[in-house]
């Protein structure tokens, strides 16, 4: 699978950045190879349209935001959040102007900006603990990694890499991961398991447990195609829900967006300690993931990779994605 060559991947919501990254200026990025520009409209809501002016193709992201519209830097044409052209300074005759640039679905959820290039198959993933009394959010990362999004997703359900990639942090020495179950959901699956881990300095601070070792009881939920919400429950009652988006920007370029939802307080564990430990772990993953091939085979014959028995979550992801991408294109009513 090459993400820019799969048109049906346009029909999902992707988390593109924290709301805090959207200030007064427009922000440009690529999503599935398509240049998009994001900004906040007059109500403060995020908006997204194609980052290419229909007059002479200048990047709208180099322009300005005026009255909630985006204004091209080249000749000042203005477009609203739906991409409709609302002003041509050189032309006072024809209003409203019956043309525009492609506009995309754009929403704020979980204090982040989400974009769907086309009518999405599924809603934005549901994370019930978000906003519940007793739970807080710690916003962690928004970094661009040089690998395919599915590599990041598979890695988030691969407990066999702990003993190798994370041997310097929390990884146990046993190369065989504990048994797990997979439960199918409408838009993905839930993987449940209990993993004994080391509890080194740095992690102890981040989870509030002082012993050398501990156990992670996990309910790790996969949302097709590239999002997961993984709830880890520790013996002290701490729930740490890792929410990870692997947003496909282009071939071998994926935006790694992550936040955590936890049932403790800033006084118990400061956010900076949570972020510091997760940063260390994610950098261990990043080094090896950026060494993997950008093409993740979905179909037999597309490329050959051998599998372990414990690769079942990743194989299930590939199948779920393949079932959608290889089916006849569906309309939104289907
Ligand atoms: Fe945008 Fe001319 S290129 S207004
Ligand atoms: Co890892």
């Amino acid at each position: 699978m090459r993400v820019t060559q799969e048109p049906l991947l346009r029909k999902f919501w992707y988390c593109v950045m924290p709301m805090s990254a959207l200030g007064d200026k427009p922000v440009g990025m690529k999503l599935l190879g398509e240049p998009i520009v994001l900004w906040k409209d007059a109500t403060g809501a995020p908006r997204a349209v194609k980052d290419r002016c229909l007059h002479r193709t200048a990047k709208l992201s180099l322009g300005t935001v005026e009255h909630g519209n985006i204004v091209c830097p080249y000749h000042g044409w203005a477009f609203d959040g739906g991409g409709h052209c609302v002003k041509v300074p050189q032309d006072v005759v024809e209003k409203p102007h019956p043309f525009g640039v492609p506009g995309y679905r754009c929403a704020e959820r979980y204090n982040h900006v989400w974009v769907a290039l086309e009518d999405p198959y599924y809603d934005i993933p549901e994370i019930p603990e978000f906003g519940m009394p007793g739970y807080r959010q710690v916003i962690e990362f928004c970094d661009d990694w040089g690998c395919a999004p599915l590599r990041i997703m598979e890695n988030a359900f691969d407990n066999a890499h702990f003993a190798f990639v994370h041997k310097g942090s929390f990884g146990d020495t046993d190369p065989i991961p504990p048994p797990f179950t997979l439960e199918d959901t409408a838009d993905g699956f839930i993987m449940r398991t209990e993993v004994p881990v080391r509890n080194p300095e740095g992690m102890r601070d981040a989870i509030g447990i002082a012993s050398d070792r501990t156990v992670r009881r996990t309910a790790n939920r996969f949302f097709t195609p590239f999002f997961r919400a993984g709830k880890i429950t520790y013996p002290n009652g701490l729930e740490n829900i890792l929410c990870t988006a692997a947003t496909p920007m282009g071939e071998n370029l994926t935006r790694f967006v992550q936040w955590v939802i936890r049932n403790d307080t800033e006084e118990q564990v400061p956010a900076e300690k949570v972020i510091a430990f997760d940063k260390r772990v994610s950098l261990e993953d990043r080094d090896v993931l950026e060494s993997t091939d950008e093409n993740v085979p979905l179909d037999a014959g597309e490329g050959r990779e051998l599998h372990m028995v414990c690769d079942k979550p990743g194989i299930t992801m590939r199948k779920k994605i393949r079932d959608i991408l290889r089916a006849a294109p569906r309309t939104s009513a289907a």
Side-chain angles (χ1 to χ4, degrees):
M1 173 176 62
R2 296 188 184 275
V3 293
T4 61
Q5 291 168 27
E6 299 288 352
L8 295 183
L9 282 179
R10 296 166 61 89
K11 296 169 77 66
F12 294 93
W13 283 104
Y14 297 107
C15 179
V16 295
M17 63 186 66
M19 272 303 286
S20 59
L22 269 193
D24 297 334
K25 294 198 173 81
V27 177
M29 66 174 287
K30 279 197 174 173
L31 182 59
L32 290 165
E34 183 135 319
I36 69 173
V37 55
L38 298 120
W39 77 97
K40 281 194 290 195
D41 71 13
T43 70
R47 310 303 298 246
V49 302
K50 188 160 184 169
D51 193 11
R52 193 168 271 302
C53 185
L54 51 69
H55 175 227
R56 288 295 180 269
T57 74
K59 274 192 179 306
L60 299 172
S61 55
L62 299 177
T64 51
V65 177
E66 287 170 27
H67 310 297
N69 300 317
I70 187 146
V71 179
C72 181
Y74 201 178
H75 310 92
W77 292 23
F79 303 87
D80 69 13
H84 312 103
C85 183
V86 293
K87 181 176 165 190
V88 175
Q90 300 79 6
D91 167 16
V92 291
V93 180
E94 193 178 18
K95 283 184 179 176
H97 299 279
F99 41 77
V101 293
Y104 312 116
R105 282 159 194 77
C106 187
E108 176 180 355
R109 191 86 185 268
Y110 311 123
N111 297 312
H112 284 73
V113 183
W114 297 72
V115 176
L117 296 177
E118 292 177 21
D119 193 18
Y121 289 125
Y122 303 126
D123 291 338
I124 293 172
E126 194 57 46
I127 306 169
E129 292 84 356
F130 178 82
M132 264 172 54
Y135 289 82
R136 62 168 166 154
Q137 181 187 36
V138 176
I139 293 179
E140 293 196 316
F141 317 122
C142 181
D143 299 314
D144 297 345
W145 290 21
C147 64
L150 194 47
R151 301 286 183 197
I152 293 175
M153 276 299 107
E154 291 189 354
N155 182 66
F157 292 78
D158 166 10
N159 296 343
H161 79 280
F162 295 171
F164 299 90
V165 173
H166 302 304
K167 61 176 178 282
S169 54
F170 68 92
D172 203 353
T173 50
D174 186 351
I176 300 174
F180 57 86
T181 60
L182 287 188
E183 176 193 327
D184 227 32
T185 61
D187 53 1
F189 60 75
I190 304 173
M191 174 190 189
R192 295 179 205 276
T193 184
E194 266 190 38
V195 185
V197 291
R198 297 195 309 113
N199 186 25
E201 209 179 319
M203 178 163 155
R204 289 178 204 175
D205 295 342
I207 64 173
I209 293 176
S211 52
D212 283 355
R213 304 181 55 80
T214 186
V215 177
R216 288 175 159 186
R217 183 155 53 84
T218 65
N220 201 1
R221 181 157 179 187
F222 168 65
F223 297 86
T224 309
F226 309 132
F227 189 85
R228 70 89 177 240
K231 181 191 279 195
I232 301 173
T233 307
Y234 288 98
N236 63 352
L238 172 68
E239 293 175 16
N240 186 76
I241 305 161
L242 280 164
C243 302
T244 311
T247 293
M249 299 175 71
E251 293 310 329
N252 229 28
L253 185 62
T254 299
R255 183 157 288 180
F256 180 94
V257 187
Q258 186 164 283
W259 66 88
V260 181
I261 298 171
R262 297 165 60 104
N263 64 345
D264 63 353
T265 64
E266 176 72 20
E267 289 65 45
Q268 289 169 315
V269 178
E272 67 185 65
K273 298 208 164 173
V274 176
I275 294 169
F277 182 69
D278 286 349
K279 186 80 184 176
R280 179 172 153 198
V281 172
S282 78
L283 289 179
E284 290 170 345
D285 287 319
R286 181 175 181 165
D287 275 347
V288 73
L289 289 178
E290 289 192 330
S291 77
T292 59
D293 194 279
E294 68 190 69
N295 184 22
V296 185
L298 294 184
D299 305 298
E302 195 189 341
R304 183 143 169 78
E305 294 183 357
L306 293 176
H307 305 305
M308 305 181 286
V309 173
C310 56
D311 285 326
K312 190 170 175 198
I315 293 166
T316 307
M317 284 178 199
R318 294 183 190 197
K319 181 176 183 322
K320 283 187 177 288
I321 294 170
R322 185 177 67 219
D323 285 350
I324 292 176
L325 301 189
R326 300 291 175 260
R330 288 188 275 173
T331 65
S332 55

